[in-house]
Amino acid sequence: MKYSRISGTGGYLPDRILTNHDLEQMVDTSDEWIVSRTGIRERHIAADDQSTCDLAEQAALQAIDAAGITADDVDLIIVATTTPDRVFPSTACLLQQRLDIHGCAAFDVQAVCTGFIYALGVADKFIRTGSAGRALVVGAETMSRIVDWNDRSTCVLFGDGAGAVILEASDEPGILSTHLHADGSYENLLTVNAGVSIHPDALMAGKAYVEMKGNEVFKVAVNTLGRIVDETLEANDLDKSEVDWLIPHQANTRIIEATARKLKLPMDHVVMTVAEHGNTSAASVPLALDVAVRDGRIRRGETLLMEAFGGGFTWGSVLMKY
Ligand code: ACO
């Protein structure tokens, strides 16, 4: 059986760090409130002249290097982003040009914070069916561009960054299963209610902002992520104890802890970057993976469970042997 397997990871965070103490100077908030409700201490913010594609490029170059390949070896590019550089071409096409690759399929996936899980699920299917041999899969965001910096209920949560993997065909496992879901009936609990065809005036004025009913999102997220853990384990006939690492979407420490409790997984087997990165949406899972691969925590052959929940609502998981 043919599998797809991660052969290299990369990550990039912009230089500028915005701490909770910096935010105390901007809105009516406190380090104590932010840490106790979310676990976030600081986040990285892209420079004014840095775009989502700029961040994606740095992460992609690292992943290509870590996989020991050259850009020419890539035959599929998928970028998960909710903050693309342009309406079109896709950020994946812009990235393709930066990498000087020509001809392979390149497209974006939009599933907000679940974007990277969706992108990995799609790339896995391309590889398993033989349609691609080596995919570059990126999650990249400049969430700071769609945050209202006067709204304390959202501006403390988000950050910018990019993470990337090279996924390639292999006889060794690999991705074992992917589980992708959505329920659009929750459209208004978490949204940027502006775009090209509705409220374009807000978009043009740079006032298309994240709006979130945080409390309600929180409850659905905890329940839904609990269910997807069960679904993933059952689909693979796997016991909780066989999961070595949980690599969750990094939105909120309390949501992550609830999922870890469900798995009976000690927190030192959960990759946590939310304190330093904040919520980087589609970039959060690949960034966390890259951190734990590079610092030597995650080793070849270990079983990883990645999961995410985000606007849509969308949610999903990937179970894999690293
Ligand atoms: N500083 C101080 N006080 C604040 C702040 C702040 N930054 N933000 C809100 N508050 C206040 C509120 O005004 C409210 O005050 P009130 O009781 O006087 O009305 C109080 O704190 C409690 O507000 P809640 O929203 O109920 O706080 P909660 O404990 O739910 O925490 C949070 C808010 C952190 C947003 C939480 O609900 C959460 O993490 N939700 C889920 C987020 C998530 O997972 N999103 C999905 C991914 S994101 C994506 O897809 C783009």
Side-chain angles (χ1 to χ4, degrees), residues 257 279 287 292 302:
E257 285 170 349
N279 180 349
L287 266 170
E302 289 185 317

Side-chain angles (χ1 to χ4, degrees), residues 106-143:
F107 56 91
D108 288 0
V109 163
Q110 215 302 34
V112 203
C113 298
T114 318
F116 181 76
I117 300 289
Y118 265 61
L120 213 51
V122 172
D124 176 56
K125 281 159 188 69
F126 265 79
I127 290 176
R128 279 182 191 240
T129 57
S131 302
R134 206 174 265 126
L136 168 62
V137 186
V138 184
E141 301 279 17
T142 45
M143 293 301 283

Side-chain angles (χ1 to χ4, degrees), residues 27-30 33-34 37-38 82 111-114 143 151-154 156-158 190 210 212-219 221 249 251-252 254-255 279 281 309-314:
V27 287
D28 180 15
T29 191
S30 66
W33 191 96
I34 303 170
R37 301 290 176 121
T38 70
T82 233
V112 203
C113 298
T114 318
M143 293 301 283
D151 175 8
R152 69 175 184 173
S153 70
T154 51
V156 303
L157 303 174
F158 296 98
L190 179 52
V210 175
M212 177 165 71
K213 297 199 171 66
N215 223 320
E216 291 168 60
V217 176
F218 186 94
K219 284 181 216 148
H249 171 49
N252 184 310
R254 291 181 294 146
I255 298 177
N279 180 349
S281 186
F309 180 90
F313 290 148
T314 55

Side-chain angles (χ1 to χ4, degrees), residues 64-147:
I64 288 167
D65 185 54
I69 60 167
T70 66
D72 286 339
D73 298 320
V74 170
D75 59 7
L76 171 68
I77 302 174
I78 308 180
V79 175
T81 187
T82 233
T83 48
D85 283 25
R86 307 186 193 181
V87 172
F88 69 84
S90 67
T91 306
C93 284
L94 301 177
L95 179 61
Q96 186 191 43
Q97 181 204 227
R98 301 278 184 94
L99 298 174
D100 198 18
I101 312 172
H102 305 272
C104 73
F107 56 91
D108 288 0
V109 163
Q110 215 302 34
V112 203
C113 298
T114 318
F116 181 76
I117 300 289
Y118 265 61
L120 213 51
V122 172
D124 176 56
K125 281 159 188 69
F126 265 79
I127 290 176
R128 279 182 191 240
T129 57
S131 302
R134 206 174 265 126
L136 168 62
V137 186
V138 184
E141 301 279 17
T142 45
M143 293 301 283
S144 61
R145 306 275 155 80
I146 53 167
V147 160

Side-chain angles (χ1 to χ4, degrees), residues 229-274:
V229 165
D230 287 339
E231 177 187 331
T232 310
L233 295 177
E234 272 167 37
N236 291 279
D237 201 15
L238 203 76
D239 187 73
K240 291 174 174 135
S241 60
E242 294 172 84
V243 174
D244 294 307
W245 290 99
L246 175 66
I247 303 156
H249 171 49
Q250 310 281 326
N252 184 310
T253 304
R254 291 181 294 146
I255 298 177
I256 296 172
E257 285 170 349
T259 311
R261 270 198 302 278
K262 171 102 193 165
L263 276 165
K264 295 198 166 62
L265 200 64
M267 287 308 285
D268 59 358
H269 281 253
V270 180
V271 182
M272 296 280 277
T273 53
V274 66

